Amino acid sequence: MKFKVNDVEVFASTGGRPFDKKKPLIIFVHGSGLTHMTWVLQTRYFAFHGYSVLALDLPGHGLSGGQSLKSIEEMADWISEVIEAVGYKEASLVGHSQGCLVIIECAFRHPKKIKTLSLMGGAGAIPMNPELLSLAENNDTKAVDLMMDWAHGPAGHFGGHPVPGLYHINTGGMLAKSRTIKNTLGVDFRACDNYKNGFEAAKKIKIPTLSILASGDKMCPVKEGKKLADLIEGSQVEIIDNCGHMMLLEEADQVLKVLKKFILTNFPVQKN
Amino acid sequence: MTDKKKKSTDPKTYKFDTLSLHAGYQPHKNAGSRQVPIYQTTSYLFDDVDHAAALFNLERGGHIYSRISNPTVAVLEERVAALEGGTAALATSSGMSAIFLTVMTLCEAGDHLVVSSQLYGGTVNLFRLTLPKFGIKCTFVKPRDTQGFKKAIQKNTKGIFGELVGNPGNELMDMPEVAKIAHDAGIPLMIDATYQTPYLCKPIDHGADIVVHSLTKWMAGHGSSMAGILVEGGKFDWMQNDKFPTMTTPYEGYHGLSFAEEFGPTAFTMKARAEGMRDFGPCLSPQNAWNVLQGIETLSVRMQKHCSNAEKMVEYLLSNESVAWVSHPSVPDHPDHELAKKLLPNGKGSMIAFGIHGGKEAGEAFINNVKLASHLANVGDTRTLVIHPASSTHSQMDEATLKFAGLSQDMIRLSVGIEDFEDIRNDFEAGFRAARKPRLVSNQ
Ligand SMILES: Cc1ncc(COP(=O)(O)O)c(C=O)c1O
């Protein structure tokens, strides 16, 4: 569906069901240079089970208008504006990679609006490899190829997509190349590299939080994810074996199972 | 940049030969079976009602019924998508059904396609005679007439379809230019790359949006199994105009789903499977998918041998006194030689057409007297295949019709195999000897 935030058109997938304001809202926030499409194996479940779902395209990404936001802080405020723009007071947030930085910062800045956080492949800080950052800022497609290489675990490199016929690495690559790389990936990587408030924000978070980490994640290793989770009061950690950073596709079913349990317990649909 | 530095920025994603053997399959999810198992089953257990509903709603990936998808077939699909540089693929029971499904996923009654005139005969029949029955009309354009493709585009045109190297005339289509023409008009380019395989050319790299194959041919190589596939490039923006409503608006044919919104770079394949496989059902058997996978494991070594044998054959034919002309893109005076060098850097393929002195009778005598080369109506077998179209596949045609189809009485079509070249040459020597004395030999 399309709607406007600060006069700029935003696209969000509603998971294949009409957006219904009577249902609790879950917002999915994608990683650097990617789009709403990365969430297809998680969003549809919630949309078909009593929730309103928005898998967003960040400004300047995917099918959304506007320019890419330059800092994690701006993105965090933008998420809060999205919640208001669609007529809600509160939401649960799910993020992947850069999306984790965004939702932690959002919960820190707008604590009343955010009910739960689900962090996939998250960390308190994501300092960028300088070569990767420079390739992305110089609009070099090699940045995408490198990201796809590092983002997939050893098993993910072979494929074996849960949806028959899809090939992971090329699909992810095509998403990241769908707009001008320096304006999406380049801006996002720089925003990640600049962001320093993750650990401080984590200490202030008092809402139920789940961290899903993957044993073969080279971009946000388990150790980093745990370091962040340790700072969040009562947070829950689940580790997925034999899987890389793109866990939401590589091991979509396992991710959905853990996420489902967490959301249904901590952000249940109220039965009338 | 020092070598060391350069190394650190090179992606280590697997390359072509490795993908041919491994893409799409994880042994640890299949009882550790090193070889891809053949899932000889029609249907798959649901964990519970929630799981069943989730699969039908496309909430989760997985298999329901083998007409729609099958785990062995899915390995083949991913492998070919990986080799072609595509986002997704859908395997079918034959090359023809892959082409039919592609068209039916793209078009509705009232739509129009611009099509190259040099296509496999079965495909010509589909476009010329069968699709009009479904209300889909086509305009044929000669493959070398690049601007002709542009001129033929109408308001209701939904795509351009062609083969990179037309059969049997070996005329090349300027794929990158035609892709630009298609994209300027907001429509996709579809390429049948059966004759090239991704080892020789990846059409997606040159602007194609959908690639189809008859896997029956070089991809399988062994000539044992029928199979086809469509591969999606993932770059085409279906939402840029209102030409493709069944892709971009809530589609009644599938629970109000908007394929382009929901699946983006894999939308076409998702629709072809969800709608096309469900309603037309040309599914590939797991056994045949497995057979094709065996062939693909050795694709690059076979293609190298096919191409090197073809080059030796071209050289041999060019210096043979019984041969009137030779058509192969590797020949420097072939009209598309330069374009072939650009688009087919790894080899120009193993299909050769040549004219034999003595016309139809000599052609028949040649065919009757080769013993190693197989006389049959197929291409892309590991074995060398020959046919004389004027006395077989096209025997009902008169001189003028033959000419229009790019054929002649003296033409022999040859699909060069991977036997020892000496043996193929010796066999051809016998054929040419007989062709020089046609009557005497055919009376034997
Ligand atoms: C170029 C080309 N495309 C498509 C086909 C049809 O494929 P199949 O025979 O697998 O249906 C053929 C068959 O000869 C072919 O040569």
Side-chain angles (χ1 to χ4, degrees):
Chain A
M1 94 176 183
K2 287 199 162 163
F3 55 96
K4 285 200 169 167
V5 174
N6 302 327
D7 268 351
V8 177
E9 195 162 66
V10 177
F11 176 84
S13 161
T14 56
R17 305 301 292 169
F19 190 73
D20 177 355
K21 284 187 194 168
K22 290 195 287 295
K23 297 175 177 173
L25 173 63
I26 309 177
I27 296 182
F28 291 77
V29 186
H30 61 76
S32 300
L34 294 171
T35 77
H36 71 276
M37 222 77 78
T38 46
W39 294 111
V40 67
L41 292 175
Q42 282 80 34
T43 45
R44 293 178 68 81
Y45 172 83
F46 292 102
F48 278 86
H49 288 80
Y51 292 90
S52 272
V53 162
L54 291 179
L56 298 166
D57 280 341
L58 288 173
H61 291 63
L63 303 170
S64 282
Q67 305 278 318
S68 295
L69 302 173
K70 290 202 160 55
S71 71
I72 299 297
E73 290 82 353
E74 279 173 82
M75 296 178 208
D77 286 342
W78 182 79
I79 298 289
S80 159
E81 286 160 2
V82 165
I83 296 172
E84 277 168 36
V86 295
Y88 276 77
K89 292 201 169 58
E90 58 182 46
S92 268
L93 304 183
V94 184
H96 174 234
S97 192
Q98 169 191 304
C100 295
L101 302 181
V102 175
I103 67 173
I104 292 166
E105 182 65 23
C106 183
F108 170 72
R109 290 171 170 245
H110 309 279
K112 290 209 181 77
K113 277 189 186 158
I114 312 305
K115 293 293 138 191
T116 72
L117 292 182
S118 303
L119 312 165
M120 298 187 195
I126 310 183
M128 295 309 301
N129 173 304
E131 277 178 274
L132 183 57
L133 179 56
S134 138
L135 286 167
E137 289 187 327
N138 286 306
N139 216 28
D140 194 327
T141 54
K142 209 186 217 182
V144 174
D145 298 339
L146 274 179
M147 176 167 88
M148 286 302 126
D149 175 9
W150 297 345
H152 287 85
H157 271 254
F158 293 117
H161 198 289
V163 178
L166 269 57
Y167 186 64
H168 281 287
I169 292 190
N170 293 350
T171 307
M174 205 50 77
L175 287 179
K177 288 175 192 164
S178 64
R179 305 273 295 252
T180 310
I181 293 167
K182 67 173 184 211
N183 297 341
T184 52
L185 205 57
V187 175
D188 288 351
F189 280 172
R190 180 60 70 186
C192 286
D193 199 54
N194 283 343
Y195 180 65
K196 302 287 182 265
N197 193 43
F199 294 112
E200 284 311 305
K203 289 182 201 162
K204 304 271 160 46
I205 287 171
K206 304 286 178 225
I207 51 174
T209 301
L210 165 70
S211 286
I212 308 181
L213 306 171
S215 63
D217 189 339
K218 283 200 262 183
M219 297 189 106
C220 293
V222 168
K223 196 172 77 177
E224 293 300 317
K226 277 190 171 161
K227 207 166 27 167
L228 174 73
D230 283 347
L231 296 174
I232 304 174
E233 206 178 295
S235 87
Q236 183 186 330
V237 176
E238 296 284 345
I239 295 175
I240 299 189
D241 280 335
N242 203 11
C243 181
H245 189 60
M246 291 307 288
M247 59 197 74
L248 61 182
L249 291 170
E250 286 182 66
E251 288 299 343
D253 276 358
Q254 288 192 55
V255 165
L256 178 61
K257 197 171 159 195
V258 176
L259 186 65
K260 221 162 93 177
K261 196 167 157 216
F262 175 77
I263 299 250
L264 298 187
T265 310
N266 295 291
F267 191 56
V269 177
Q270 304 296 336
K271 299 244 162 56
N272 300 325
Chain B
M1 206 181 266
T2 64
D3 266 345
K4 205 171 164 201
K5 208 167 178 191
K6 192 161 166 269
K7 244 188 190 156
S8 70
T9 54
D10 275 340
K12 293 189 181 60
T13 32
Y14 294 120
K15 297 175 190 64
F16 193 90
D17 292 359
T18 310
L19 293 172
S20 312
L21 289 152
H22 294 279
Y25 180 65
Q26 296 185 18
H28 78 273
K29 289 189 178 165
N30 289 276
S33 170
R34 183 51 278 181
Q35 184 51 278
V36 177
I38 301 171
Y39 281 89
Q40 192 63 56
T41 183
T42 55
S43 34
Y44 307 84
L45 274 183
F46 305 125
D47 297 342
D48 50 34
V49 281
D50 206 32
H51 181 217
L55 288 169
F56 279 100
N57 290 335
L58 303 179
E59 291 167 28
R60 297 173 59 166
H63 305 282
I64 297 173
Y65 187 57
S66 285
R67 170 155 35 78
I68 314 293
S69 67
N70 168 283
T72 311
V73 178
V75 175
L76 172 66
E77 291 167 337
E78 266 199 57
R79 191 159 300 176
V80 178
L83 293 174
E84 283 288 4
T87 52
L90 172 63
T92 55
S93 54
S94 68
M96 282 317 299
S97 53
I99 298 170
F100 181 66
L101 211 56
T102 300
V103 173
M104 293 322 257
T105 304
L106 188 71
C107 297
E108 296 169 60
D111 286 347
H112 172 260
L113 293 167
V114 177
V115 178
S116 163
S117 63
Q118 288 254 322
L119 298 174
Y120 162 63
T123 319
V124 173
N125 285 334
L126 171 69
F127 283 113
R128 202 167 69 86
L129 304 169
T130 306
L131 287 178
K133 291 199 281 188
F134 294 84
I136 299 164
K137 297 225 169 79
C138 304
T139 302
F140 288 92
V141 176
K142 292 222 156 88
R144 283 188 188 126
D145 181 11
T146 305
Q147 287 312 307
F149 285 96
K150 188 171 179 174
K151 287 191 203 117
I153 293 173
Q154 309 173 0
K155 245 192 159 155
N156 58 343
T157 303
K158 296 297 163 75
I160 298 181
F161 185 97
E163 292 175 16
L164 173 58
V165 183
N167 168 40
N170 278 326
E171 286 179 38
L172 262 74
M173 177 173 168
D174 191 340
M175 188 164 45
E177 284 303 314
V178 177
K180 270 191 218 133
I181 289 169
H183 297 157
D184 286 348
I187 55 175
L189 173 65
M190 298 164 277
I191 292 288
D192 178 339
T194 300
Y195 283 34
Q196 286 75 52
T197 82
Y199 177 77
L200 296 184
C201 179
K202 295 184 195 181
I204 291 167
D205 287 351
H206 300 284
D209 301 292
I210 292 150
V211 179
V212 294
H213 283 280
S214 166
L215 299 174
T216 315
K217 311 292 174 351
W218 289 265
M219 290 289 269
H222 34 58
S224 75
S225 312
M226 302 297 300
I229 202 159
L230 66 89
V231 186
E232 181 166 8
K235 232 181 265 170
F236 189 79
D237 177 8
W238 300 103
M239 299 171 56
Q240 65 182 290
N241 52 41
D242 57 5
K243 286 181 191 289
F244 307 99
T246 62
M247 295 286 293
T248 57
T249 54
Y251 178 45
E252 196 195 342
Y254 210 87
H255 317 306
L257 186 69
S258 160
F259 284 95
E261 263 190 33
E262 207 60 7
F263 302 111
T266 60
F268 190 81
T269 312
M270 292 298 286
K271 181 165 182 264
R273 189 185 300 280
E275 176 194 62
M277 277 304 185
R278 183 194 64 188
D279 302 351
F280 300 119
C283 57
L284 179 60
S285 76
Q287 176 67 58
N288 274 1
W290 190 86
N291 294 347
V292 175
L293 280 167
Q294 301 318 293
I296 290 178
E297 292 194 349
T298 56
L299 180 62
S300 52
V301 278
R302 282 188 292 107
M303 289 311 284
Q304 283 163 24
K305 184 81 193 280
H306 272 297
C307 290
S308 69
N309 270 1
E311 276 169 29
K312 287 180 195 160
M313 178 57 82
V314 164
E315 215 173 288
Y316 163 71
L317 292 172
L318 282 172
S319 62
N320 192 302
E321 57 180 28
S322 301
V323 173
W325 53 269
V326 180
S327 167
H328 187 257
S330 71
V331 179
D333 65 2
H334 184 284
D336 306 313
H337 182 64
E338 287 308 311
L339 184 61
K341 279 208 292 204
K342 191 171 101 184
L343 298 179
L344 301 165
N346 289 343
K348 313 287 175 284
S350 56
M351 290 299 295
I352 300 172
F354 66 91
I356 187 161
H357 283 308
K360 188 172 177 188
E361 251 176 74
E364 287 172 0
F366 175 85
I367 296 282
N368 280 337
N369 286 279
V370 287
K371 298 289 176 243
L372 179 65
S374 308
H375 176 210
L376 50 74
N378 191 21
V379 295
D381 197 303
T382 35
R383 289 151 279 253
T384 295
L385 314 176
V386 288
I387 199 158
H388 179 229
S391 62
S392 57
T393 47
H394 298 69
S395 57
Q396 286 100 332
M397 289 185 180
D398 58 25
E399 194 80 35
T401 326
L402 273 178
K403 197 166 173 215
F404 183 76
L407 295 159
S408 54
Q409 298 282 3
D410 65 346
M411 176 195 275
I412 290 181
R413 192 186 73 180
L414 163 62
S415 172
V416 183
I418 61 174
E419 299 96 339
D420 190 299
F421 182 72
E422 286 296 312
D423 294 332
I424 312 175
R425 195 185 56 192
N426 291 339
D427 191 41
F428 273 44
E429 284 291 325
F432 284 129
R433 256 198 313 277
R436 283 193 290 271
K437 303 179 242 169
R439 243 161 274 121
L440 203 146
V441 176
S442 60
N443 287 343
Q444 274 180 354

